[in-house]
Amino acid sequence: MSTTVAPALEELANVATLLTSDEDLREFRDPFAFETWDEYTASAVVMPETVEQIQEIVRIANRHGVPLWTHGQGRNNGYGGPAPRVKGSVVVSLRNMNRVLEINEECAYAVVGPGVRWFDLYEAIQAGGHPLMLSIADVGWGSVVGNTLDHGVTYMPYGVDMGMQCGMEVVLPDGELLRTGMGAMPNNRAWHVYKRGLGPTPDQLFMQSNYGIVTKMGVWLMPCPEVYMPLWLRVQNDDDLAPVIDTLRELMLDDTIRMVPQVLSAPLLASVLTERDKWWDGHGPIPDAELDRMARELEIGRWTMRFALYGDEAVVDHRFAKIKSAFERIPGADVTGTKVAPDDIAGLEHPVERVQGGVPSLDLNAMTAWYGGEEGGHIGFSPVAPLTGKDAIALRDLLRGMIEEAGLDYMAALIPINARSFIHVTLIIFDTKDEAQTSAAYDVAKRLVRDAAKLGYGEYRAHLDFMDLAAEQYSFGDHAYMRFCETIKDALDPNGILAPGKSGIWPKSMREG
Amino acid sequence: MSTTVAPALEELANVATLLTSDEDLREFRDPFAFETWDEYTASAVVMPETVEQIQEIVRIANRHGVPLWTHGQGRNNGYGGPAPRVKGSVVVSLRNMNRVLEINEECAYAVVGPGVRWFDLYEAIQAGGHPLMLSIADVGWGSVVGNTLDHGVTYMPYGVDMGMQCGMEVVLPDGELLRTGMGAMPNNRAWHVYKRGLGPTPDQLFMQSNYGIVTKMGVWLMPCPEVYMPLWLRVQNDDDLAPVIDTLRELMLDDTIRMVPQVLSAPLLASVLTERDKWWDGHGPIPDAELDRMARELEIGRWTMRFALYGDEAVVDHRFAKIKSAFERIPGADVTGTKVAPDDIAGLEHPVERVQGGVPSLDLNAMTAWYGGEEGGHIGFSPVAPLTGKDAIALRDLLRGMIEEAGLDYMAALIPINARSFIHVTLIIFDTKDEAQTSAAYDVAKRLVRDAAKLGYGEYRAHLDFMDLAAEQYSFGDHAYMRFCETIKDALDPNGILAPGKSGIWPKSMREG
């Protein structure tokens, strides 16, 4: 513990629960980092329960020059978990600020604290008997606010363009309390129904940044539709990816499909269902012939798309017929699905069908055990591309080639976040007990950052360990965007106490040169 | 002309076309201001044609401390037109930067310069034979970028939540050139298809602000649907407004209606079709009995809603039946509409049906002639409210009461910008040749700013003459939001040269106290 931190910790302990033991701090490391790596470790974790406590924590940090690092629940798996960028930072964990503050049934929204998990909000909606659905992430333990602030993906119609956030309350680095949009007017009635205010709208400035600590947020909910219809598309050949993506774009552009699908490679889907050594125990990545066998035996196709329809039954029927006919023009492709009443979603067997229907669980976390046992890890490498077959193939070839060269498996989820673009989430899966394999995964991810950028693809979200490298690729105008971010950082946080290094944004005192 | 401006003008004239004659400058005044009022007059207008010229203009302004005021086309009618907040500012008119830079048919978007009008982009799409539609504003002369930057409304599905902008290029107040989102990476392929980048997303920071001059912007286009169906709802009684709004909310929340309707009061719709003295030439506002007569004789109802469906014919048919049945539960209400093929939209007789189908014209500008002749004016007073019948009635009663007390007519367009909120655009219409009436209109608008705020309703957009007053209402946390805006202003524009006073944001040198 550095000498500057000790007196600050004493003051922080008077404000809120403070954790400092090695055992407690272990929970706030990157769960997938190799055991002896200690670059991203916190000196303490403070757990406020009120906005006033956060304001006091920020003021103490300013007085002592102690860096803070914030999370909602800290489930940022694949991107560094809850760990801070700067060693010795004090983690501000908002896990105890987990109250659902309001559910407005008439205008279909909720207001939540930053520690509210998908589980918590789902349960509050159920408990209140509201006929409303929440667009959720794959794993239910994450925080709604935390996911939103990291540009996290959800899958129902409001997941399109990450569109469900409306109105924020934020503690600024100097301890001031800001309300965005219409919330800037006291007692304004439209804070959580209209996304802007009068003047510039700062909400997205607090996402993937280090400009403030969000303490409250509005979340739009969807009225339960007459029918929910989870759908599956399977195709048999690796190169079918191109017509799948081109067909999907047309069906999303014309509004036939309006939600966030996932196009999954065979091994990624297999990792949810089985372990790796069932398919291959030879040296290096799984060969193509074995991938074909895996696809055949698990009946998952070389690519599988999970998606869904929501709406009036007549509209769902029309759209299903149109979707089926469009995709089944691809030889060997098939589209299947079953209509479900909203009340029956929680009883569905497949976790994906529950997730797309807004029912959270931890089931989809199983993929981390690809290499057996209970331990497992992954790094997310996630560039964005136009939603075209050509771009999908270009990224697949680049990523598969480099990852297999590193002796690892190419496991891909292409996530069309709107009708025009997709995030190519590449899960680089490794055995966290194998230091060489863990290092190989980190190394190839870093090579991918540069090589994808050369082809014009940038990450939507960066792992703690290569945030700087990922941010460096956004270099137009001699890094004009980063200088812009730094100018705002220095103005809002002159002492540089809040999350230094987040998204590659460093305060003046820590910048080189 | 002040002494500090003269040397700057000399330099500016070397960079781009400079207008300084009284006759030329007249075009850049608020067209509705009374003739002898001169508070918001420019000292000159400079008309750059390239990004480099804008950068040079900004540098000259910094050297001489001359305030600039920017517009795309300057059609900001009802909110001050192209006039600058600070007298003697140099207007940077981007009217000549009117090139459509790209139309991408595959991913359905365009990239435009800041002077491109609705007319220009529409014509470029037609000329290229692209099966794409553009969501447009009511009057076709405005600039696509300018409208977007002022939070302007458009009416097709991409008008919902003003969602069609994707990716910007911006000249910052110090002359730096910033590209937002994925555009911050050189040659990134996803700049105009993915709305964010890595790190905080600044796009909305450049709307309703004075932080930069937008020089390029992506605009999403909608593939032509199988069927376009413009619809009209009429209701007979003033209080039918409440069930209209409540029914509409349910139909928008469940996605039956997805576009931006307008709910119009009888006199506003009448002003497009006729002149005021046909209905009333007595003293003060038009009495209720005459409003009923007007509604009956013009067959427009006391409230009329203009809206539309877009999509596959089977879906449109299902939705039309559902909409008709829902609204016609209101006694006396009727819903009518006719299906149109996209190719036939330009031939529709009613300008509203063309506007909602993306075909621009100037026809809807007729309302300004409510008091006869060619001259006419209006002030827009436009608070935002939750999309509930209760809120609609509360605002109607407040606004109608105060406007009629001032001897003027209450003319309202309620514009649901999404399924949860509406903008109550109140057009305070006056005869610009009548100074007393013009003053009365300004005065009542200012009283409305305060009184609406007391009820929890804030403006979405403010008139030049009461931007400060409107901004003052956003006072949560002792004006924390304004201090936040000022902090960013001072950091990005230390000399305060860009649009001082816009949205109530003043640079340090011009702030009081």
Side-chain angles (χ1 to χ4, degrees):
Chain A
M1 196 185 297
S2 83
T3 45
T4 51
V5 174
L9 294 189
E10 231 170 277
E11 292 186 39
L12 289 171
N14 292 327
V15 175
T17 305
L18 190 76
L19 311 177
T20 54
S21 76
D22 285 352
E23 197 188 330
D24 283 339
L25 296 185
R26 192 177 302 272
E27 200 186 326
F28 296 90
R29 296 184 59 209
D30 179 352
F32 306 148
F34 190 71
E35 204 179 348
T36 60
W37 299 356
D38 69 349
E39 192 175 348
Y40 308 116
T41 50
S43 59
V45 175
V46 63
M47 305 192 75
E49 295 181 24
T50 67
V51 169
E52 293 70 25
Q53 288 173 351
I54 294 176
Q55 292 176 293
E56 192 50 35
I57 289 166
V58 161
R59 290 188 197 109
I60 292 169
N62 270 292
R63 281 202 298 274
H64 294 279
V66 170
L68 304 176
W69 186 266
T70 315
H71 68 240
Q73 281 288 333
R75 314 301 184 177
N76 181 35
N77 290 357
Y79 301 96
R85 177 67 184 82
V86 171
K87 187 172 174 172
S89 294
V90 173
V91 165
V92 183
S93 174
L94 306 171
R95 288 186 186 173
N96 291 339
M97 293 184 68
N98 57 356
R99 287 203 307 132
V100 176
L101 303 163
E102 184 188 354
I103 296 179
N104 184 309
E105 187 172 308
E106 187 175 40
C107 286
Y109 68 83
V111 183
V112 297
V116 169
R117 302 168 307 156
W118 304 110
F119 284 126
D120 302 322
L121 182 50
Y122 172 76
E123 280 157 23
I125 294 166
Q126 298 305 307
H130 305 291
L132 298 169
M133 290 167 84
L134 169 67
S135 184
I136 62 174
D138 279 315
V139 188
W141 63 15
S143 110
V144 179
V145 171
N147 188 73
T148 303
L149 299 186
D150 277 327
H151 292 178
V153 173
T154 69
Y155 300 100
M156 282 167 40
Y158 291 152
V160 174
D161 277 319
M162 303 150 179
M164 57 203 259
Q165 175 268 327
C166 188
M168 281 179 179
E169 182 183 84
V170 186
V171 172
L172 296 176
D174 63 358
E176 287 253 30
L177 189 65
L178 175 77
R179 288 185 172 174
T180 69
M182 287 292 160
M185 175 179 281
N187 301 313
N188 186 287
R189 292 181 50 74
W191 187 13
H192 300 298
V193 293
Y194 179 73
K195 293 200 175 186
R196 303 177 175 191
L198 182 72
T201 308
D203 298 52
Q204 294 193 5
L205 219 56
F206 297 107
M207 300 182 190
Q208 289 196 350
S209 80
N210 45 21
Y211 299 156
I213 299 177
V214 175
T215 54
K216 192 186 281 190
M217 194 183 87
V219 186
W220 285 358
L221 305 171
M222 185 175 85
C224 288
E226 190 176 26
V227 163
Y228 162 60
M229 188 176 194
L231 299 169
W232 298 93
L233 160 70
R234 287 181 302 187
V235 293
Q236 301 308 322
N237 305 302
D238 199 24
D239 284 346
D240 290 342
L241 181 61
V244 164
I245 293 294
D246 284 325
T247 305
L248 179 62
R249 183 187 64 253
E250 284 167 25
L251 291 169
M252 290 183 77
L253 276 172
D254 80 359
D255 205 36
T256 301
I257 297 172
R258 190 154 65 91
M259 47 81 65
V260 178
Q262 278 194 6
V263 182
L264 299 154
S265 68
L268 183 56
L269 196 52
S271 75
V272 181
L273 309 167
T274 64
E275 289 180 8
R276 186 179 195 269
D277 60 12
K278 180 171 160 57
W279 308 106
W280 180 244
D281 56 2
H283 185 72
I286 307 175
D288 250 311
E290 299 306 313
L291 292 175
D292 281 333
R293 184 170 67 90
M294 174 196 297
R296 219 169 33 243
E297 289 186 20
L298 291 174
E299 299 183 347
I300 54 175
R302 275 300 292 260
W303 295 95
T304 297
M305 184 165 76
R306 54 175 249 196
F307 61 125
L309 291 167
Y310 310 78
D312 290 353
E313 187 164 11
V315 174
V316 167
D317 287 344
H318 169 81
R319 291 187 164 164
F320 176 65
K322 183 171 173 178
I323 288 166
K324 195 169 169 65
S325 141
F327 282 118
E328 292 185 356
R329 272 177 227 136
I330 303 167
D334 70 318
V335 177
T336 53
T338 312
K339 289 183 278 184
V340 181
D343 282 349
D344 298 330
I345 297 171
L348 288 169
E349 193 185 340
H350 202 302
V352 161
E353 299 192 344
R354 276 181 270 123
V355 162
Q356 294 182 134
V359 180
S361 74
L362 299 181
D363 296 347
L364 291 181
N365 220 19
M367 67 182 85
T368 57
W370 187 227
Y371 287 96
E374 285 181 36
E375 296 281 330
H378 67 267
I379 293 173
F381 172 72
S382 306
V384 178
L387 189 59
T388 76
K390 197 179 73 178
D391 287 286
I393 296 295
L395 266 176
R396 179 201 65 179
D397 290 347
L398 172 75
L399 297 170
R400 185 172 174 186
M402 290 180 69
I403 290 170
E404 294 195 345
E405 203 178 279
L408 298 161
D409 298 328
Y410 166 65
M411 315 200 34
L414 283 67
I415 306 182
I417 194 68
N418 61 43
R420 294 167 175 79
S421 64
F422 70 96
I423 301 169
H424 188 303
V425 175
T426 322
L427 294 173
I428 308 176
I429 295 191
F430 53 90
D431 180 350
T432 56
K433 298 212 155 137
D434 179 340
E435 186 169 10
Q437 196 184 46
T438 305
S439 289
Y442 277 75
D443 291 346
V444 73
K446 289 175 196 173
R447 288 197 298 276
L448 284 170
V449 170
R450 292 183 203 277
D451 284 21
K454 279 181 206 152
L455 296 184
Y457 304 112
E459 279 209 285
Y460 99 104
R461 181 177 186 175
H463 190 285
L464 204 63
D465 194 51
F466 44 91
M467 277 180 175
D468 287 326
L469 180 67
E472 268 169 35
Q473 311 307 310
Y474 292 78
S475 62
F476 174 82
D478 193 20
H479 301 271
Y481 170 68
M482 184 50 71
R483 281 199 306 284
F484 176 83
C485 291
E486 289 169 350
T487 300
I488 292 180
K489 178 65 177 172
D490 295 343
L492 294 176
D493 184 11
N495 298 322
I497 54 111
L498 196 59
K502 174 81 179 175
S503 296
I505 304 167
W506 293 93
K508 190 161 200 164
S509 60
M510 297 187 187
R511 290 199 297 266
E512 297 167 309
Chain B
M1 197 183 299
S2 83
T3 45
T4 51
V5 174
L9 294 189
E10 233 170 277
E11 293 187 38
L12 290 171
N14 292 328
V15 174
T17 306
L18 190 76
L19 312 176
T20 53
S21 76
D22 284 352
E23 197 188 331
D24 284 337
L25 296 185
R26 192 178 302 272
E27 200 187 325
F28 297 89
R29 294 186 60 209
D30 179 353
F32 306 147
F34 190 72
E35 203 178 349
T36 60
W37 298 356
D38 68 349
E39 192 175 348
Y40 307 117
T41 50
S43 59
V45 175
V46 63
M47 304 191 79
E49 294 181 24
T50 67
V51 170
E52 292 70 24
Q53 288 174 350
I54 294 175
Q55 292 176 295
E56 193 49 39
I57 288 166
V58 161
R59 290 188 197 110
I60 292 169
N62 270 294
R63 282 202 297 275
H64 294 277
V66 170
L68 304 176
W69 186 265
T70 314
H71 67 241
Q73 281 286 334
R75 314 301 183 176
N76 181 35
N77 290 355
Y79 302 96
R85 176 70 183 79
V86 172
K87 187 172 177 173
S89 295
V90 172
V91 165
V92 182
S93 174
L94 305 172
R95 288 185 186 173
N96 291 340
M97 292 185 70
N98 58 355
R99 285 203 308 134
V100 176
L101 303 165
E102 183 188 353
I103 296 179
N104 184 308
E105 189 172 307
E106 187 175 40
C107 286
Y109 67 83
V111 184
V112 297
V116 169
R117 301 168 308 156
W118 303 109
F119 285 126
D120 303 321
L121 182 50
Y122 172 77
E123 279 157 23
I125 294 166
Q126 299 305 307
H130 305 290
L132 298 168
M133 290 169 83
L134 169 68
S135 184
I136 62 173
D138 279 315
V139 187
W141 64 16
S143 110
V144 179
V145 171
N147 188 71
T148 303
L149 299 187
D150 277 328
H151 292 179
V153 173
T154 70
Y155 300 100
M156 281 168 39
Y158 291 150
V160 174
D161 276 319
M162 304 151 178
M164 57 204 257
Q165 175 268 325
C166 188
M168 283 179 177
E169 182 183 84
V170 187
V171 172
L172 296 177
D174 62 359
E176 287 254 29
L177 189 65
L178 175 77
R179 288 185 173 174
T180 70
M182 287 292 159
M185 175 180 282
N187 301 314
N188 186 287
R189 292 183 50 75
W191 188 13
H192 301 299
V193 293
Y194 179 73
K195 293 199 174 186
R196 302 175 175 192
L198 183 71
T201 308
D203 297 53
Q204 294 193 5
L205 219 57
F206 298 108
M207 301 183 189
Q208 291 196 350
S209 80
N210 44 23
Y211 299 156
I213 298 177
V214 176
T215 53
K216 192 187 281 192
M217 193 183 88
V219 185
W220 285 357
L221 305 171
M222 185 175 84
C224 288
E226 189 176 30
V227 164
Y228 162 60
M229 188 178 196
L231 298 170
W232 297 93
L233 160 70
R234 287 180 303 187
V235 292
Q236 301 308 320
N237 304 301
D238 199 24
D239 285 346
D240 290 342
L241 181 62
V244 164
I245 293 294
D246 284 324
T247 304
L248 179 62
R249 184 187 64 254
E250 283 166 25
L251 292 168
M252 291 184 76
L253 277 172
D254 80 1
D255 205 37
T256 301
I257 298 172
R258 191 153 64 91
M259 48 81 65
V260 178
Q262 278 194 7
V263 182
L264 300 153
S265 68
L268 183 56
L269 195 53
S271 75
V272 181
L273 309 167
T274 65
E275 289 180 10
R276 187 179 196 269
D277 61 11
K278 178 170 159 60
W279 308 105
W280 180 245
D281 58 3
H283 184 71
I286 308 174
D288 251 310
E290 299 307 314
L291 291 175
D292 281 332
R293 183 170 69 88
M294 175 195 297
R296 222 169 29 245
E297 290 185 19
L298 291 176
E299 299 182 347
I300 54 175
R302 274 302 291 261
W303 294 95
T304 296
M305 183 165 77
R306 53 176 250 197
F307 61 125
L309 290 167
Y310 310 79
D312 291 352
E313 186 162 15
V315 174
V316 166
D317 286 346
H318 169 81
R319 292 188 163 164
F320 176 65
K322 183 171 174 178
I323 288 165
K324 194 168 171 69
S325 143
F327 281 118
E328 292 186 356
R329 273 178 225 135
I330 303 166
D334 69 318
V335 176
T336 54
T338 312
K339 289 183 279 185
V340 182
D343 281 350
D344 298 331
I345 297 171
L348 289 169
E349 191 184 344
H350 202 302
V352 162
E353 299 191 346
R354 277 182 269 123
V355 163
Q356 295 182 134
V359 180
S361 73
L362 299 180
D363 295 348
L364 291 181
N365 219 19
M367 68 182 84
T368 56
W370 187 226
Y371 288 98
E374 284 179 40
E375 298 280 331
H378 68 267
I379 293 174
F381 172 72
S382 306
V384 177
L387 189 60
T388 76
K390 196 178 76 178
D391 286 287
I393 296 296
L395 266 176
R396 178 200 67 179
D397 290 349
L398 172 76
L399 298 170
R400 183 171 176 187
M402 289 179 69
I403 290 169
E404 294 194 346
E405 204 178 279
L408 297 160
D409 298 328
Y410 166 64
M411 312 196 44
L414 283 67
I415 306 183
I417 193 69
N418 62 42
R420 294 166 176 79
S421 64
F422 69 96
I423 302 169
H424 188 303
V425 176
T426 322
L427 295 173
I428 308 175
I429 295 191
F430 52 90
D431 180 350
T432 55
K433 299 215 152 131
D434 178 340
E435 186 170 12
Q437 195 184 48
T438 305
S439 289
Y442 276 75
D443 290 345
V444 73
K446 290 175 195 173
R447 287 197 299 277
L448 284 170
V449 170
R450 292 182 202 278
D451 284 21
K454 279 181 205 152
L455 295 185
Y457 305 111
E459 279 208 284
Y460 100 104
R461 180 177 186 175
H463 189 287
L464 203 65
D465 194 52
F466 46 92
M467 275 180 178
D468 288 326
L469 180 66
E472 268 169 35
Q473 312 306 310
Y474 292 77
S475 62
F476 175 82
D478 194 21
H479 302 271
Y481 170 67
M482 184 49 73
R483 280 198 307 284
F484 175 84
C485 292
E486 289 168 351
T487 300
I488 291 181
K489 178 65 177 171
D490 294 343
L492 294 175
D493 184 11
N495 298 322
I497 54 109
L498 194 59
K502 174 81 180 179
S503 295
I505 304 168
W506 293 92
K508 191 161 200 164
S509 61
M510 297 186 186
R511 291 199 295 270
E512 299 166 310

